[in-house]
Amino acid sequence: MQHKSKMAGADGDDSLYPIAVLIDELRNEDVQLRLNSIKKLSTIALALGVERTRTELLPFLTDTIYDEDEVLLALAEQLGNFTMLVGGPEYVHCLLPPLESLATVEETVVRDKAVESLRKISQEHSPVDLEVHFEPLVKRLASGDWFTSRTSACGLFSVCYPRVSSTVKAEIRQHFRTLCSDDTPMVRRAAASKLGEFAKVLELDYVKSDIISLFTALASDEQDSVRLLAVEACVSIATLLPQEDLETLVMPTLRQAAEDKSWRVRYMVADKFSELQKAVGPEITKNDLVPAFQNLLKDCEAEVRAAAANKVKEFCENLPEDSRETIIMTHILPCVKELVSDTNQHVKSALASVIMGLSTILGKDNTVEHLLPLFLAQLKDECPEVRLNIISNLDCVNEVIGIRQLSQSLLPAIVELAEDAKWRVRLAIIEYMPLLAGQLGVEFFDEKLNTLCMAWLIDHVYAIREAATCNLMKLVEKFGAEWAQNTIVPKVLGMANDPNYLHRMTTLFCINALSEVCGQDITTKQMLPVVLKMSNDQVANVRFNVAKSLQKIGPVLDSNALQTEVKPVLEKLDTDTDMDVKYFAQEAISGKYTTLSIFFLYEVASLGPRSKWPILYVSERSTMCPAECVSQCER
Amino acid sequence: TSILPSSPTTGFSVPSAEKVDGFPRRSMRRARQRRSHSSSQFRYQSSQVELTPLPLLKDAPVAELHNLFCKKLQQCCVLFDFLDCVADLKGKEIKRAALNELVESVATSRGVLIEPLYPEAIKMISVNIFRTLPPSENPEFDPEEDEPTLEASWPHLQLVYEFFLRFLESPDFQPSMAKRYVDQKFVLQLLELFDSEDPREREYLKTILHRVYGKLLGLRAYIRKQINNIFLRFIYETEHFNGVAELLEILGSIINGFALPLKSEHKQFLVRVLIPLHTAKSLSIFHAQLAYCVVQFMEKDATVTEYIIRGLLKYWPKTCTQKEVMFLGEIEEILDVIEPSQFIRVQEPLFKQITACISSPHFQVAERALYFWNNEYILSLIEENSQVILPLVFTTLYRVSKEHWNQTIVSLIYNVLKTFMEMNSKLFDDLTASYKVDKQNDSVL
C-alpha cells in the first residue's frame, strides 16, 4: 500500500487504517479484493461517518467505479441498505446517482439488482423528496437512449405512483404508455411484465381507460415474447375489475390469447390457468374457460397439452360446486381419457402427477367407474415416469376407494419398475416403498414386496444398495423391531458369508442403519457377533468398515459389551497391516474426538454459524482450510 | 466465408467438442437414436382442400401463362401434414410438382414476373414459410453436441425457399414492385425463422436475407435494427437462438460496405452488441463469423481497435479454457491487421492477459498464446515495443519455463526467450539479473 487514499488515513488516525486498506482495495487490480472491499462497504461508510460517506464515498463510487459486473452487482445490492449510513431518510436521495448509473448497465443481473435497491429506497423517501429527486430519475431512465435504462424504468413506476401529486401521476402514466409501445422489444417486454403490477396501484378509472388499451395492444404485439407476458398481466387486471366489466374489457383478449398462433402464448395461458380461473370468477369460467381448457388439453403442441394437463386437478377443484361434477364428467374427463394415451410422454407424465387427485373430487362411485380404468392404464404405461407418478400419488386414491382395488395391477407395475434397466428409475421406486408398505399393509408386503427389497441390496449400482439400506430402516420404523427380527435381519446377516465382498459390506451398512431402530437387544445378540466375526475378513475394505460399524453401533450397545467385546477387536484392528484399517480403528477408539472434528469440518464446509464455536473463531479474512482448523481444534 | 449456400443438403460437420478429448460425448450415444423430425406447418387446418393437377406451364399458350402461374401459386398455398407421412400422398405430389415448375419457370424464362404476380408469390411464400417454430424436442438442445430436429415438411419447404431465392435473383425482379409486399412485417417474420433448428432452412434464409438486404434498400436500416434486437435478446435474455452464426455471416458482408467515417449506429453495434456476444455460452458455434465481423470493423476504421481489445479483455473467459483458446485466436486475427499506432495503445493490458494465458496450467491455452511468437507481423510489433513488453512478460516466462508440466510448452518458451535475447540482449540481461536478485531476496526472506 504505497499510496494512501485521500479519504481516510490522510489525517494519520491509526484507527482508520483498516478502512484505508479497504478503500485502497476498492481500486486494487485484483477483482476478488475489490469485491471483498465492496462487500464491506457498510463498514467503510460506518467508519467514515454519514457526512463523509455522502460527500466523499458516494461521489467516488459514482465516478470511479467502472468495473466488472460482479463488483457492480455487489455494489447495487449494498446501496439498497445504505439509508442509515448516509444519515437516514432525510438524505436517502444521495444514493440515487450511483444507483441510476447501475440501472443503465448492460448486464441484466446488475440492472435488476439496482432496480430492486431503488424500489427499496423509494419507500424511504418523503413524498416531497420522491417528487424532487426520485421521480425525475425515473423520467430520465424512461427517456434514456439505450434500451437498458428504459427497461429499468419500467420497474420503478409502480413504487412512486401512489405517493405523488396528480400532475406527476399523469406524467408517470404517460411515460408508461410510451414505453409500452417502445421500438425495442426488450423494453416492451419489460413494460408488459410490469403491467399487472402497475395496474394495481392505479385508480380504477385509469385502469379502465389506460391499462386496458395498453393490455390489448401488448396482447396483440407482433412478437410472441411480448404477447405471452400480457397473459400474466391479465390475471392482475382481471382481479382489479368489477365482474360486469370483465366480459367487455378482458375476455376478448383472453380468448384471443388462448387461441394464439404461437404455442408459447397458449402455453402461458395453460400455465396460468388456475390463476385466470380465480380472477374471472365462476360464471365466465363456466361459459368461457371450460371450452378454452378443453382446447388446450387437445392442443397440437405437446408442450401446451402438458402444461394444461398439469392443471387438470386444480381447475376441477376450483370449479363452482353446483356444476362441478357435470362439467368434469361431460367436458373434462373425455379429454383426460385421450391424454392417457397421448403420444408424448411428458404429457402423460404431467397428467399422471395430478390425475389421482380427481378421485377426491369425484367421489367413490365415479372413481371406481371412470377413473380407475385410467389409473390402471397409466400403471401399465411404457414410460416409467408415468407409472412412478401414479404410484407416488397413491395416497389420494387410498382415501377414497382403498388401495386394494389397485393392488392387482400395482404389483406388476412395481416389479417392473424395480427391475428397470435405468438405475434412476429403480432408485425412485425404492423411495416409494415405505409409503406403499404403509398403505398395503404388512401381510401384502411380506408376501409380494419383501423379496424385491432384499434383491436391491445386491444391486450392482451402489446408489441402489445404499437406498435399499435406508429403505430397510424406514420399513422397520413402520413395522417394528419384531418384524425386523423375523423377516429381514436373518437375511441381512446371511449376506455376511457371501463370497462377494461388496455384499459382505452391505451387511455392515445395513447394520449401521438398522441398529438404532432395532434396539439394543437385537443389536447385541444378533448383529454384534456378525460384525466382530467379520473383523477377520481377508478384504481390507470389509475390515475397516467393521471399525466404522463398531463406532456407529457403539451408542446402542451397553458398556459391558463395549469393554469386553468391541474394545479387543478394535485394538486388534489397530495393529492391522493395512493403513486404512488402522486409521479407522483409531478413529473408532477415540470416537469422541472424531465426532467433534467431523462435526466441525462440516460446520466450516457449510459456513454454518460460527457463533457456536467461540473458541475456534478464526479471523474473517483468513482463508484457512478445514484441515488447519482441525489442527487448531486439537490444540 | 462465402455467402452463397453450399449444397442445401449439407451434412453436419463434426462438432469441434468431439475433437478435444477421447471421452465419448452425449452425441455419440444419441447418434443411435433416430433423427427426429418436427413440424409446425400443419396447424389449424380444418378443411383440407383436394388438389387437382393443372396443365403444365411449359405447355401453356403465352396468353394463358400468367393466369396459370397464378393458379399454381394459389395451389401451393395448401399445406400438408408431413408428420403423417402417408397422408394425402397424391396432394403432396401435385404440390411438389407445381413448386418444381414454378422454380424452373422463374429461373429460366424471361418475362414471367409481371406486377400482378408479386402479391400472389409473396402470399404463397408467406403462407408456407411463416409459422411459429415448434418447441425444441430436446429442451437442453446443445447445437454443438446434439442432432438438430429437422423440419418434416422440408420436401415442400425447400422448394418454396428455392422459389423465393430464384424470384429474388431473377433479372426480371423489380425492387420497386416487391417493396410493397416484402415489407417490415415480412422481414421481421423472416428473421424469426432464423431460430429454426434445421440447418438447411437457416442456410436458405441466410442467402435470401442477404439478397433482400442487397435489393431492397429501404429495408436495410430496419433489418440491421431487428438483428440487433435478436442479438441483444440472445445475450441478455434467452441465451438461445439457433441462427446467430448465419446472421453474423450476413453482417460480415454488410460491414464491408459501411461508409466512412463510421456512423455512430455502427459503432454502437460493435461495442454494445458484437463485443458482448463474446460472453455467450455457445460462443464456439458462431465464433468464426463473429471474429470475422470484428476484424472487418477494424479494417474499416482502425480507431475502433482499442474498444475491441479492451472489450475482449473485459469479457475474457475466467474458467472456460476452450473459450480462452477462441479468444486468443481472435486476438491473433486482430493483431494480424492492427496498425502499429493502435498496438501501442493497448499493448500493456493486452500483454498482461497474454502473460496470464502463458502461465495457464491448461497446455492448449499456453500453447495458443505462445504461437503468437511464430507470427512474423506480431513479432515485429513486439520487437518495436520490446522495452515495454519484455518487462511485462519476462518473469512469467522465466518462471513457467522452469515449472510447466508440459514439455512442448517448456520448449516453446525457450524459443520465445531466445527470440527476446536476440531482440534486445541488453534489456534481457538486465531483467535476468534483477530476476535472480529478487529470487535470492525471496529465499532469504
Side-chain angles (χ1 to χ4, degrees):
Chain A
M1 305 305 151
Q2 279 98 351
H3 60 91
K4 283 278 156 59
S5 153
K6 81 168 177 18
M7 276 183 280
D11 45 10
D13 181 352
D14 277 352
S15 65
L16 281 182
Y17 180 71
I19 301 304
V21 172
L22 281 175
I23 292 173
D24 267 333
E25 283 182 359
L26 281 178
R27 309 180 240 222
N28 197 290
E29 259 186 50
D30 184 345
V31 184
Q32 195 53 46
L33 289 179
R34 292 204 300 276
L35 194 59
N36 291 342
S37 195
I38 284 285
K39 286 187 174 158
K40 301 221 181 64
L41 209 55
S42 55
T43 316
I44 300 180
L46 205 59
L48 287 174
V50 291
E51 194 169 332
R52 294 184 71 191
T53 298
R54 286 198 303 269
T55 53
E56 296 173 37
L57 183 61
L58 285 177
F60 166 76
L61 291 173
T62 315
D63 296 342
T64 61
I65 296 202
Y66 164 77
D67 208 330
E68 299 261 344
D69 294 330
E70 210 182 341
V71 178
L72 297 182
L73 175 67
L75 178 60
E77 186 172 6
Q78 293 278 315
L79 291 177
N81 303 315
F82 242 57
T83 311
M84 290 324 286
L85 297 167
V86 293
E90 202 181 328
Y91 296 99
V92 67
H93 59 86
C94 300
L95 297 172
L96 297 179
L99 281 171
E100 180 175 354
S101 32
L102 289 170
T104 62
V105 301
E106 239 88 23
E107 179 50 50
T108 326
V109 284
V110 177
R111 243 187 300 142
D112 288 350
K113 192 54 90 180
V115 170
E116 195 186 311
S117 289
L118 280 169
R119 287 167 70 110
K120 211 163 163 185
I121 64 167
S122 73
Q123 302 310 314
E124 282 149 2
H125 282 69
S126 68
V128 177
D129 280 350
L130 206 62
E131 280 193 28
V132 177
H133 300 284
F134 198 87
E135 204 268 342
L137 167 141
V138 179
K139 269 197 252 175
R140 276 194 303 277
L141 287 176
S143 43
D145 279 343
W146 190 240
F147 79 95
T148 51
S149 72
R150 303 201 297 279
T151 311
S152 294
C154 293
L156 296 173
F157 294 121
S158 64
V159 290
C160 47
Y161 190 85
R163 298 175 59 212
V164 292
S165 68
S166 55
T167 351
V168 181
K169 277 185 176 177
E171 283 173 24
I172 292 180
R173 287 197 304 274
Q174 180 52 43
H175 278 292
F176 192 78
R177 252 199 307 277
T178 317
L179 294 183
C180 281
S181 54
D182 196 276
D183 221 18
T184 328
M186 278 79 74
V187 178
R188 294 203 303 278
R189 277 195 287 276
S193 69
K194 299 293 178 197
L195 183 66
E197 175 189 296
F198 189 55
K200 280 186 195 157
V201 299
L202 246 59
E203 297 79 0
L204 185 59
D205 282 345
Y206 291 120
V207 173
K208 287 189 198 171
S209 61
D210 282 30
I211 295 288
I212 294 297
S213 65
L214 296 175
F215 168 61
T216 319
L218 290 169
S220 44
D221 194 274
E222 59 192 9
Q223 303 231 345
D224 59 0
S225 54
V226 179
R227 295 202 298 277
L228 66 88
L229 290 168
V231 175
E232 264 190 300
C234 186
V235 177
S236 329
I237 295 172
T239 324
L240 296 170
L241 293 173
Q243 190 70 33
E244 64 269 21
D245 290 327
L246 286 176
E247 181 53 45
T248 48
L249 299 179
V250 174
M251 287 316 290
T253 311
L254 182 56
R255 276 187 211 111
Q256 177 195 318
E259 290 175 2
D260 197 281
K261 67 182 193 310
S262 163
W263 62 270
R264 289 184 191 88
V265 179
R266 300 196 305 275
Y267 172 90
M268 200 61 163
V269 175
D271 196 47
K272 298 276 164 219
F273 218 82
S274 307
E275 286 95 323
L276 289 167
Q277 182 188 9
K278 282 178 201 147
V280 298
E283 275 315 300
I284 295 181
T285 296
K286 268 194 260 180
N287 300 334
D288 270 281
L289 294 195
V290 172
F293 194 57
Q294 282 175 295
N295 283 337
L296 293 170
L297 288 173
K298 289 189 265 188
D299 197 278
C300 55
E301 218 54 86
E303 250 76 0
V304 181
R305 291 199 302 279
N310 256 323
K311 302 286 166 189
V312 164
K313 182 194 159 208
E314 247 180 290
F315 180 73
C316 294
E317 237 169 17
N318 295 330
L319 285 169
E321 225 168 302
D322 55 349
S323 49
R324 184 187 296 155
E325 199 176 316
T326 339
I327 294 178
I328 298 177
M329 297 307 292
T330 51
H331 298 292
I332 307 298
L333 208 56
C335 303
V336 169
K337 276 182 187 155
E338 273 178 51
L339 291 183
V340 167
S341 48
D342 199 278
T343 49
N344 184 293
Q345 65 172 59
H346 298 295
V347 177
K348 287 187 291 189
S349 113
L351 182 70
S353 67
V354 298
I355 190 173
M356 310 289 268
L358 291 179
S359 43
T360 352
I361 307 171
L362 287 176
K364 191 172 175 183
D365 293 341
N366 280 328
T367 303
V368 174
E369 196 184 334
H370 298 285
L371 294 176
L372 200 55
L374 304 180
F375 300 160
L376 295 176
Q378 291 216 299
L379 264 182
K380 294 190 192 100
D381 198 277
E382 54 175 12
C383 164
E385 206 181 316
V386 176
R387 283 174 269 153
L388 269 177
N389 280 347
I390 290 288
I391 291 173
S392 61
N393 287 298
L394 279 174
D395 44 342
C396 317
V397 191
N398 199 16
E399 287 160 19
V400 184
I401 56 165
I403 209 161
R404 289 278 160 188
Q405 299 257 20
L406 277 174
S407 53
Q408 281 295 331
S409 312
L410 207 49
L411 194 64
I414 294 171
V415 172
E416 213 179 305
L417 289 169
E419 290 162 357
D420 197 281
K422 295 194 191 74
W423 67 268
R424 284 181 195 281
V425 175
R426 300 201 295 276
L427 187 63
I429 187 75
I430 294 177
E431 275 159 16
Y432 293 119
M433 272 298 152
L435 176 81
L436 286 170
Q439 306 203 333
L440 292 166
V442 69
E443 259 170 63
F444 186 90
F445 184 87
D446 279 345
E447 198 181 318
K448 316 274 187 188
L449 300 177
N450 197 14
T451 355
L452 284 177
C453 292
M454 300 316 288
W456 282 320
L457 288 175
I458 51 169
D459 197 283
H460 60 273
V461 175
Y462 176 74
I464 300 296
R465 299 199 297 273
E466 191 187 24
T469 311
C470 180
N471 173 44
L472 286 187
M473 184 183 79
K474 287 183 187 148
L475 289 174
V476 177
E477 278 171 357
K478 266 208 164 68
F479 294 150
E482 201 184 323
W483 174 81
Q485 192 172 12
N486 295 328
T487 46
I488 59 171
V489 173
K491 288 185 191 167
V492 166
L493 296 183
M495 283 163 60
N497 300 318
D498 198 287
N500 185 335
Y501 85 98
L502 291 171
H503 298 172
R504 299 202 293 279
M505 290 213 300
T506 307
T507 299
L508 291 172
F509 298 147
C510 286
I511 289 174
N512 294 348
L514 292 176
S515 62
E516 206 183 320
V517 279
C518 285
Q520 197 181 54
D521 194 44
I522 298 179
T523 309
T524 319
K525 289 196 179 129
Q526 301 191 13
M527 297 175 174
L528 185 61
V530 175
V531 180
L532 296 175
K533 196 170 149 234
M534 289 169 86
S535 67
N536 298 318
D537 201 287
Q538 53 185 353
V539 177
N541 300 45
V542 177
R543 294 201 301 278
F544 74 64
N545 271 298
V546 166
K548 284 176 163 180
S549 287
L550 288 173
Q551 187 185 352
K552 183 87 198 343
I553 65 174
V556 188
L557 301 171
D558 62 35
S559 57
N560 185 33
L562 282 173
Q563 276 303 321
T564 59
E565 302 186 65
V566 176
K567 207 171 155 225
V569 169
L570 282 175
E571 279 163 357
K572 186 187 72 189
L573 291 172
D574 191 20
T575 60
D576 201 283
T577 48
D578 186 276
M579 216 172 84
D580 295 319
V581 177
K582 266 187 178 171
Y583 173 79
F584 284 108
Q586 279 163 11
E587 288 248 299
I589 292 168
S590 55
K592 208 177 157 192
Y593 157 66
T594 37
T595 328
L596 174 69
S597 64
I598 286 167
F599 185 37
F600 182 65
L601 269 170
Y602 169 77
E603 281 286 323
V604 171
S606 65
L607 297 172
R610 249 195 226 98
S611 53
K612 282 192 193 161
W613 300 93
I615 314 154
L616 305 169
Y617 182 83
V618 283
S619 126
E620 279 209 25
R621 307 194 52 181
S622 153
T623 47
M624 209 180 260
C625 73
E628 286 170 309
C629 294
V630 172
S631 68
Q632 271 217 338
C633 154
E634 220 169 341
R635 273 180 243 136
Chain B
T1 47
S2 148
I3 192 81
L4 286 168
S6 44
S7 135
T9 47
T10 328
F12 311 107
S13 56
V14 182
S16 56
E18 302 254 336
K19 299 170 200 153
V20 176
D21 59 35
F23 294 105
R25 294 285 171 148
R26 274 189 296 149
S27 55
M28 308 291 267
R29 280 178 277 128
R30 290 236 179 99
R32 265 178 271 128
Q33 296 173 6
R34 90 199 151 83
R35 181 170 284 179
S36 54
H37 289 271
S38 177
S39 172
S40 49
Q41 276 237 315
F42 188 69
R43 300 289 179 235
Y44 296 113
Q45 280 221 325
S46 40
S47 59
Q48 190 61 19
V49 194
E50 182 115 351
L51 294 191
T52 43
L54 296 165
L56 293 181
L57 279 175
K58 66 175 161 75
D59 300 339
V62 181
E64 300 268 309
L65 184 67
H66 289 127
N67 194 17
L68 187 60
F69 198 96
C70 207
K71 277 195 182 139
K72 296 226 172 205
L73 283 172
Q74 283 157 2
Q75 199 167 49
C76 291
C77 288
V78 178
L79 302 181
F80 292 91
D81 180 6
F82 273 86
L83 287 178
D84 180 355
C85 53
V86 290
D88 201 2
L89 286 174
K90 186 165 148 274
K92 283 178 189 165
E93 177 52 29
I94 292 170
K95 176 168 170 181
R96 195 192 61 79
L99 281 168
N100 261 328
E101 269 193 281
L102 291 170
V103 169
E104 203 194 310
S105 167
V106 87
T108 55
S109 38
R110 290 289 80 85
V112 184
L113 286 186
I114 55 164
E115 188 164 8
L117 287 183
Y118 279 73
E120 295 295 333
I122 296 300
K123 185 179 160 217
M124 189 280 281
I125 292 163
S126 307
V127 167
N128 278 283
I129 67 171
F130 293 154
R131 63 213 194 273
T132 306
L133 293 168
S136 178
E137 290 198 352
N138 173 6
E140 288 138 48
F141 176 68
D142 175 353
E144 276 252 280
E145 305 209 339
D146 300 331
E147 289 288 351
T149 309
L150 298 179
E151 174 58 52
S153 61
W154 190 243
H156 283 174
L157 205 55
Q158 182 195 351
L159 292 170
V160 176
Y161 277 121
E162 189 67 34
F163 172 78
F164 192 12
L165 189 58
R166 302 289 181 182
F167 175 74
L168 290 166
E169 286 175 348
S170 161
D172 294 341
F173 178 79
Q174 300 277 340
S176 55
M177 287 175 201
K179 73 178 182 196
R180 260 176 275 161
Y181 313 105
V182 181
D183 53 6
Q184 294 193 346
K185 189 162 183 263
F186 183 94
V187 166
L188 188 66
Q189 287 172 285
L190 197 67
L191 282 166
E192 274 172 9
L193 291 175
F194 275 81
D195 193 22
S196 169
E197 234 176 75
D198 193 329
R200 302 169 301 183
E201 181 166 17
R202 296 200 306 270
E203 195 66 31
Y204 264 113
L205 286 164
K206 181 177 75 184
T207 321
I208 286 170
L209 185 68
H210 189 251
R211 298 291 179 275
V212 171
Y213 190 89
K215 305 215 169 191
L216 300 170
L217 309 187
L219 286 171
R220 287 186 172 181
Y222 184 78
I223 292 175
R224 289 199 304 270
K225 196 169 83 188
Q226 294 308 328
I227 293 180
N228 264 357
N229 287 341
I230 288 175
F231 285 165
L232 288 169
R233 180 167 188 225
F234 170 75
I235 301 166
Y236 296 113
E237 291 184 8
T238 59
E239 281 210 19
H240 177 90
F241 192 82
N242 289 314
V244 176
E246 284 80 5
L247 291 175
L248 283 169
E249 209 173 316
I250 297 171
L251 286 165
S253 70
I254 292 176
I255 294 166
N256 225 334
F258 284 165
L260 282 173
L262 283 178
K263 284 201 254 173
S264 73
E265 176 213 324
H266 300 322
K267 279 193 188 159
Q268 194 172 58
F269 168 65
L270 170 69
V271 176
R272 307 193 108 159
V273 182
L274 283 188
I275 300 294
L277 264 179
H278 287 85
T279 60
K281 207 164 55 185
S282 51
L283 177 69
S284 57
I285 297 152
F286 54 82
H287 182 252
Q289 290 82 353
L290 180 58
Y292 179 78
C293 288
V294 168
V295 173
Q296 287 293 304
F297 259 110
M298 276 185 53
E299 294 207 86
K300 202 80 206 165
D301 179 357
T303 60
V304 298
T305 310
E306 196 175 343
Y307 289 125
I308 292 173
I309 292 195
R310 291 198 186 268
L312 287 179
L313 292 177
K314 178 176 176 200
Y315 295 129
W316 201 271
K318 293 199 171 55
T319 54
C320 181
T321 45
Q322 202 196 348
K323 266 173 93 172
E324 226 175 331
V325 173
M326 286 184 256
F327 270 56
L328 284 165
E330 186 169 347
I331 291 284
E332 180 162 4
E333 282 182 55
I334 289 170
L335 291 180
D336 251 336
V337 295
I338 200 168
E339 295 209 357
S341 59
Q342 295 295 327
F343 179 79
I344 292 167
R345 301 168 79 115
V346 292
Q347 57 182 355
E348 279 189 55
L350 180 62
F351 273 81
K352 271 185 195 154
Q353 183 58 61
I354 292 172
T355 312
C357 291
I358 291 174
S359 55
S360 166
H362 196 297
F363 81 98
Q364 283 175 334
V365 175
E367 186 181 53
R368 189 69 194 79
L370 289 163
Y371 279 163
F372 285 10
W373 274 264
N374 295 345
N375 181 312
E376 290 287 326
Y377 182 63
I378 298 178
L379 207 57
S380 74
L381 291 169
I382 294 176
E383 185 160 12
E384 279 165 41
N385 300 287
S386 61
Q387 282 293 348
V388 181
I389 293 172
L390 188 48
L392 275 175
V393 299
F394 182 81
T395 317
T396 305
L397 284 176
Y398 210 91
R399 184 176 52 80
V400 178
S401 75
K402 302 269 183 251
E403 289 173 1
H404 208 282
W405 62 272
N406 183 297
Q407 271 315 305
T408 319
I409 299 302
V410 174
S411 59
L412 280 169
I413 291 188
Y414 274 128
N415 285 338
V416 171
L417 284 171
K418 207 167 128 244
T419 326
F420 273 128
M421 203 151 55
E422 288 158 6
M423 220 177 248
N424 193 337
S425 59
K426 168 81 177 61
L427 181 60
F428 190 87
D429 292 343
D430 290 352
L431 287 167
T432 318
S434 73
Y435 177 79
K436 284 187 177 149
V437 171
D438 280 357
K439 194 98 199 242
Q440 242 162 14
N441 286 347
D442 278 357
S443 59
V444 169
L445 287 172

